Amino acid sequence: MAEARTIGIFGAGWVGLVTGGCLAELGHRVIVRDVVPERIEALQAGRMPFHEPELPEVLERNRDRLHYTLDANELAEADALFVCVQTPPTYSGDADLSYVWAALDDLPQSGRRQILVMKSTVPVGTGEKVNAALEGRGLTNVGYVSNPEFLAEGSAVRDFIDPDRIVIGAFAEEDGIAVEKLYAGIEAPVVRTDVASAEMIKLAANAFLMTRISFINEIANVCEAVGADVVEVARGVGLDHRLGPHFLRAGIGYGGSCFPKDSLALKQLASNSGYHFQLLSAVIEVNELQKRRVISKLGKHLGKLRGKKIALLGLAFKAGTDDMREAPSLVLASRLLSEGADVRAWDPVANPGELMKGVVLCDSVIDAVRGADAAVIVTEWDELRGLASPEVREAMARPLIIDGRNILDPAETRRAGFAYEGVGRQPEPNSGS
Ligand code: NAD
Ligand code: UGA
């Protein structure tokens, strides 16, 4: 068990709340500060500001050790201050660090030594700049540690409590040791390194995961052209222990709050330093094109899309979350609307609000597909695994399923009376032979 400390957290988003809740679970006292009053009010009233499995239970279980506030001065008594604010892209693709700098402006006056722990994903060199700024402000009793976070939404609590590794980059040895101690109770290899390398580990890990996705998506596109099945291919490739099975699910391209922005930030970071990161540029381009391939598949079956009714099933960028940041569904919806299609959509938890103007939102799958010329599986929700049912076939004007996530069995779906297109699968049975 960790020696109990007082921890301050800047940001009650995915990373901040999961970090806060899990550090409380390890026995620490945690003060979470956000700048959005409704968010803090919701948390104080025991309501979750977003959907993340297991997080409500963690927060409830550790209620007595968790405190939520708008007032940064309440963090004065903290031993460590975790920065978990957003780092969205700017127009140039660089990471926008204004929220990080704003959090630094709010650092409390404290008599004790505090360690600033950077959990937000930031460009390499940020630690150096922040450290210099702290010194420039005379805050010599504030240490700096880079401690990037690798959790994925939908499995965030599990990822935090049972991580593959904990990365700690410190300027001062004792600060690195102190942060490592905060994690006592979590079994994981600890990578102690310099700050710049810690920052790069995070960007490189995300870029590598994206590279795998764009790679398998391109293999899928070739499979379609030559009559192979990418699901089989990924299974066979992934069994090579040097390659492994992860992140080889072909689909409609990656989305989310991190991959798209972090790829741009790394590409831009390299470019600002005079290096053209060719491979990453291709990964990004492949991903953009992948999202649009659904449109040509629809066109292949339906001809012109003007006036056609298309059901988008799943809106979140992946299953297990209500997060719609950079979701492929947004690109699909706007492409379909501009083709003149009638777009209906369903998602069990995500609520697009203003993001999907012109799209009719439905409460159930069956409502979404009623009268539709095609159903597109956009998010791999479990509720969609039984989509190829007689009820759905009856409800649709045309029984066509475009499976953007390869969650249905092509043969079974066709036997159930649907025309079926997956990603990287044979368009018609045995057509590759
Ligand atoms: P988020 O947008 O969900 O949450 C950020 C929170 O910080 C918001 O609630 C915002 O109001 C708050 N905030 C902004 N300025 C503040 C300030 N001055 N003081 C206190 N709070 C402030 O973001 P997120 O998804 O949790 O991501 C945070 C960072 O972690 C990003 O850099 C992201 O790249 C990185 N990251 C995210 C994930 C993920 O899965 N979401 C995983 C690993 C790393
Ligand atoms: C991702 C990383 O997995 C985390 O390790 C990292 O901490 C996080 O980004 C971050 O830096 O914020 P997340 O975006 O929550 O986490 O979700 P993933 O499960 O990685 O999925 C990202 C996207 O890739 C989704 O759109 C998903 O559908 C897609 N994906 C994933 C595929 O298309 N194929 C795959 O095989 C895997």
Side-chain angles (χ1 to χ4, degrees):
M1 203 64 183
E3 186 187 337
R5 293 282 178 190
T6 300
I7 312 258
I9 308 255
F10 281 100
W14 257 274
V15 172
L17 273 189
V18 171
T19 301
C22 293
L23 288 174
E25 183 107 332
L26 291 175
H28 301 295
R29 192 172 153 255
V30 178
I31 306 158
V32 181
R33 187 261 179 152
D34 205 288
V35 287
V36 178
E38 304 79 62
R39 190 157 273 223
I40 291 300
E41 280 159 24
L43 288 163
Q44 286 168 339
R47 293 192 310 274
M48 281 292 301
F50 49 81
H51 174 81
E52 181 60 42
E54 296 183 49
L55 186 56
E57 292 79 5
V58 170
L59 299 185
E60 174 56 29
R61 217 168 29 243
N62 297 288
R63 202 166 38 156
D64 295 346
R65 281 193 291 274
L66 279 162
H67 176 69
Y68 305 101
T69 183
L70 287 166
D71 183 2
N73 290 321
E74 291 194 36
L75 305 181
E77 52 193 290
D79 300 297
L81 296 165
F82 281 69
V83 178
C84 306
V85 300
Q86 64 271 49
T87 50
T90 58
Y91 286 116
S92 61
D94 292 281
D96 176 359
L97 294 182
S98 60
Y99 299 92
V100 170
W101 290 112
L104 296 179
D105 288 340
D106 292 345
L107 281 184
Q109 292 290 333
S110 179
R112 62 172 65 209
R113 180 166 176 80
Q114 294 187 302
I115 306 172
L116 201 65
V117 185
M118 187 59 69
K119 269 234 168 279
S120 295
T121 304
V122 294
V124 180
T126 302
E128 198 75 59
K129 285 187 195 142
V130 170
N131 213 31
L134 293 173
E135 275 173 24
R137 293 177 197 186
L139 294 168
T140 45
N141 62 343
V142 181
Y144 185 94
V145 167
S146 167
N147 173 220
E149 181 50 56
F150 300 93
L151 65 79
E153 291 176 21
S155 57
V157 169
R158 216 169 338 121
D159 293 343
F160 193 98
I161 292 291
D162 186 19
D164 290 341
R165 74 304 210 183
I166 295 167
V167 175
I168 296 176
F171 291 115
E173 175 80 4
E174 67 269 25
D175 291 340
I177 293 171
V179 171
E180 186 173 343
K181 278 192 183 154
L182 298 177
Y183 286 95
I186 291 184
E187 292 289 325
V190 176
V191 180
R192 293 283 303 280
T193 183
D194 60 281
V195 171
S197 301
E199 292 166 339
M200 186 55 111
I201 287 169
K202 172 65 194 173
L203 295 176
N206 272 2
F208 203 176
L209 292 169
M210 286 175 255
T211 304
R212 284 177 70 102
I213 297 171
S214 279
F215 177 81
I216 200 67
N217 281 337
E218 287 220 283
I219 292 288
N221 300 342
V222 179
C223 281
E224 284 176 12
V226 300
D229 184 330
V230 74
V231 175
E232 294 300 302
V233 174
R235 187 159 65 95
V237 168
L239 282 168
D240 186 322
H241 75 277
R242 296 166 303 174
L243 299 173
H246 304 290
F247 278 67
L248 288 180
R249 276 181 285 116
I252 46 170
Y254 59 75
S257 66
C258 291
F259 280 0
K261 82 162 169 72
D262 291 347
S263 58
L264 288 180
L266 178 54
K267 182 181 160 186
Q268 202 52 41
L269 176 72
S271 158
N272 294 344
S273 323
Y275 183 74
H276 175 55
F277 200 148
Q278 204 165 338
L279 181 56
L280 189 55
S281 304
V283 166
I284 295 167
E285 192 185 349
V286 167
N287 195 57
E288 285 311 310
L289 296 174
Q290 195 68 16
K291 294 184 211 163
R292 289 158 175 78
R293 283 177 70 88
V294 167
I295 307 294
S296 49
K297 286 180 179 165
L298 285 168
K300 187 178 120 188
H301 288 265
L302 303 178
K304 290 241 174 302
L305 296 180
R306 176 160 300 281
K308 299 284 177 353
K309 254 194 194 173
I310 312 292
L312 293 182
L313 304 178
L315 298 173
F317 80 94
K318 65 172 192 177
T321 180
D322 59 354
D323 198 340
M324 288 200 50
R325 289 179 283 184
E326 300 286 336
S329 62
L330 296 169
V331 174
L332 282 179
S334 64
R335 281 291 305 115
L336 287 168
L337 288 172
S338 58
E339 293 287 331
D342 285 347
V343 186
R344 304 167 66 77
W346 165 88
D347 191 283
V349 288
N351 181 0
E354 289 295 291
L355 288 173
M356 279 208 173
K357 267 204 208 123
V359 172
V360 177
L361 297 178
C362 304
D363 289 335
S364 66
V365 174
I366 203 73
D367 261 0
V369 301
R370 190 162 291 122
D373 295 292
V376 182
I377 298 178
V378 186
T379 311
E380 68 282 25
W381 288 111
D382 280 342
E383 290 91 326
L384 297 174
R385 292 182 194 275
L387 186 66
S389 67
E391 194 192 4
V392 167
R393 199 188 54 229
E394 288 306 308
M396 293 181 75
R398 237 186 256 231
L400 166 62
I401 295 178
I402 309 285
D403 181 0
R405 301 289 189 160
N406 288 343
I407 59 172
L408 302 186
D409 182 84
E412 269 177 31
T413 308
R414 289 185 182 120
R415 266 200 301 278
F418 292 86
Y420 174 86
E421 291 259 4
V423 179
R425 318 196 87 174
Q426 296 175 41
E428 297 301 331
N430 306 319
S431 69
S433 56

